Amino acid sequence: MPAYSGSTSQTQPHTRNVSVPPAFAVPMVEAAFPRRLHPYWPKLQEKSRNWLREMRLMPPDKVERYADGLCYTDLVAGYYIGAPDELLTAIADLSSWFFAWDDRHDRDSVHGRAEQWWRLCRGLHGALDAPRQYLRHSDPLVAGFADCVRRLYSFLGPSWNARFARHFHPVIDAYDQEFHNRRGGTVPTVEAYVELRRLTFAHWAWIDLLEPTAGRELPHGIRKHPAYRRAALATQDFSAWYNDLCSLPKELAGDELHNLGISLIHHEGLTLEEAVREVHRRVTQCVTDFIRAEEEVLLFARRLAGGSTRGKELAEALESCVFNMRNWFSSVYWFHHESGRYRVDSWDDRSMPPYVTEDALAEKELVGEE
């Protein structure tokens, strides 16, 4: 039986003709957040396939069979409109790496590979601080992450790089916390999960990447402006919780413990249907919260633009950032209905995605290849 029955259809420019189950439909996004794709996207697909093979993050046969259908490049090409092609490629590779890391986290958790997981986390922390030293690391996930970080660090300079690292170190630690939660059978409370999810989704790292897309690092006072923070949090919470909504069948099948719906069921006593409705309510509230904050940010940008040439340049960068925050809604929304990552009902084994290499020995052989 499908996880959710019935559907509505919606087609937009750059959007495939996909079915959206009513439990997942957010009419406000479909109506008011048009889908956009960076013009470099077709080339990005090819580059992403090559990078996944070169970094050994997926076996070549699975790259050919699944990479395009997973739509990882579609997702990022809708986030960062206006980014230079080289930057967009680096962000797309980071996004593909993130999904591969998430899959490794799942399999290491399932099989209790604590030592392997600890070595991976240690390598990722090291690669974040000194990426060039980890480019030839034996673990493809560490080497791939180092390659992405090295490229991203070439755009804005030391202060932005240090901030990105400050924001990503806790992401690695949060994944480690989830690993130990799964090994111990701990389902976080709703409040604890919301905070943990803001780390495992890497909220502030993705927001940081809006700045090189705009071509300018934003001053501290602009980044900490309450409306900017609210807009950023709304777009990222929407993305994380919409992912929870759409991945709930996949994660229930795989005995995952980290999902807003699972926390609501476990700690609040909700049924599956009630949990789905509550996650949907929170997702919809994020859209409303963003629209309100967006108005304030744009007013703030207009005030900045009226003062000086520098003010005008900062205003343009700020407007670029909030424009791409807006683009997250449509890109995340349609990605979840286009990507093969969430089509659990079509898998031979609902607990094991077909695009993941399960055999740990095969992984070791891949690591050893030159």
Side-chain angles (χ1 to χ4, degrees), residues 40 51 54 78 80 92 99 116 133 142 148 162-163 195 201 227 247 271 275 297 307 345 349 361 363:
Y40 194 63
W51 189 79
E54 290 168 6
Y80 297 103
F99 284 113
Q116 182 176 334
Q133 297 179 22
V142 175
C148 292
R163 173 162 37 103
E195 294 306 314
F201 197 81
S247 64
T271 65
V297 175
D345 295 312
D349 178 354
L361 293 177
E363 288 178 7

Side-chain angles (χ1 to χ4, degrees), residues 47-83:
K47 283 184 170 288
S48 178
R49 288 194 299 270
N50 290 338
W51 189 79
L52 287 168
R53 282 190 291 263
E54 290 168 6
M55 293 292 109
R56 302 193 300 270
L57 291 175
M58 289 177 70
D61 62 321
K62 293 201 172 186
V63 171
E64 293 304 316
R65 186 172 181 183
Y66 296 111
D68 285 357
L70 290 170
C71 301
Y72 296 161
T73 57
D74 304 36
L75 180 65
V76 170
Y79 286 171
Y80 297 103
I81 306 299

